Amino acid sequence: MDCLFCKIINREIPADIVFEDEHVLAFHDIDPKAPTHILIIPKKHISTLNDIEERDLEVVGRLQYTAAQLARQQGFADDGYRVVMNCNEMGGQTVYHIHMHLMGGRQFTWPAG
Ligand code: 5GP
Ligand code: ZN
């Protein structure tokens, strides 16, 4: 499949991987928007948030769980951090394999841009 993140899962493209289990892969974003910027993805290819099915609920929950675990491991869980999932063009999605952005290490503002 011609999907950048599937290629990272399959080790066809290198990435700085920080966590992997049966369901989830996490790696540093190539163009970080914060001192720590990690992408957490399901190993199953799901194109957008609109394509999540009921059978995917566990893996989607694991994205959030992994974000919290990595925030603790990175040392900013208590100070706070930002998680973001962009959907489709108006949401700013550029890679069509769902991913959770975990960003920490600076003050975030609201509303997001
Ligand atoms: P989106 O804009 O779809 O929400 O997020 C896609 C993210 O993937 C962007 O933050 C972008 O910097 C990151 N990205 C794009 N290509 C690569 C790549 O080849 N390797 C890594 N590690 N991140 C990438
Ligand atoms: Zn994919």
Side-chain angles (χ1 to χ4, degrees), residues 43-101:
K43 286 194 169 174
K44 177 184 175 183
H45 180 88
I46 302 170
S47 297
T48 79
L49 293 179
N50 294 334
D51 301 304
I52 293 168
E53 299 176 57
E54 203 164 356
R55 62 184 171 178
D56 301 324
L57 294 185
E58 189 191 329
V59 77
V60 172
R62 282 180 181 277
L63 300 181
Q64 188 67 72
Y65 178 69
T66 303
Q69 301 279 85
L70 290 174
R72 190 157 303 285
Q73 189 186 95
Q74 296 283 328
F76 51 69
D78 291 337
D79 284 342
Y81 54 94
R82 176 67 56 83
V83 291
V84 174
M85 294 183 85
N86 298 324
C87 184
N88 279 337
E89 195 179 343
M90 293 276 279
Q93 185 174 7
T94 59
V95 178
Y96 283 78
H97 178 132
I98 62 166
H99 46 280
M100 183 172 283
H101 296 260

Side-chain angles (χ1 to χ4, degrees), residues 3-67:
C3 166
L4 178 65
F5 287 174
C6 284
K7 287 178 179 164
I8 288 176
I9 292 165
N10 295 328
R11 306 301 201 270
E12 293 166 37
I13 290 175
D16 185 1
I17 293 169
V18 293
F19 176 80
E20 179 170 27
D21 69 12
E22 192 186 339
H23 306 285
V24 166
L25 186 72
F27 50 93
H28 287 282
D29 196 292
I30 205 168
D31 182 18
K33 304 298 191 295
T36 300
H37 185 170
I38 293 170
L39 300 174
I40 306 158
I41 69 174
K43 286 194 169 174
K44 177 184 175 183
H45 180 88
I46 302 170
S47 297
T48 79
L49 293 179
N50 294 334
D51 301 304
I52 293 168
E53 299 176 57
E54 203 164 356
R55 62 184 171 178
D56 301 324
L57 294 185
E58 189 191 329
V59 77
V60 172
R62 282 180 181 277
L63 300 181
Q64 188 67 72
Y65 178 69
T66 303

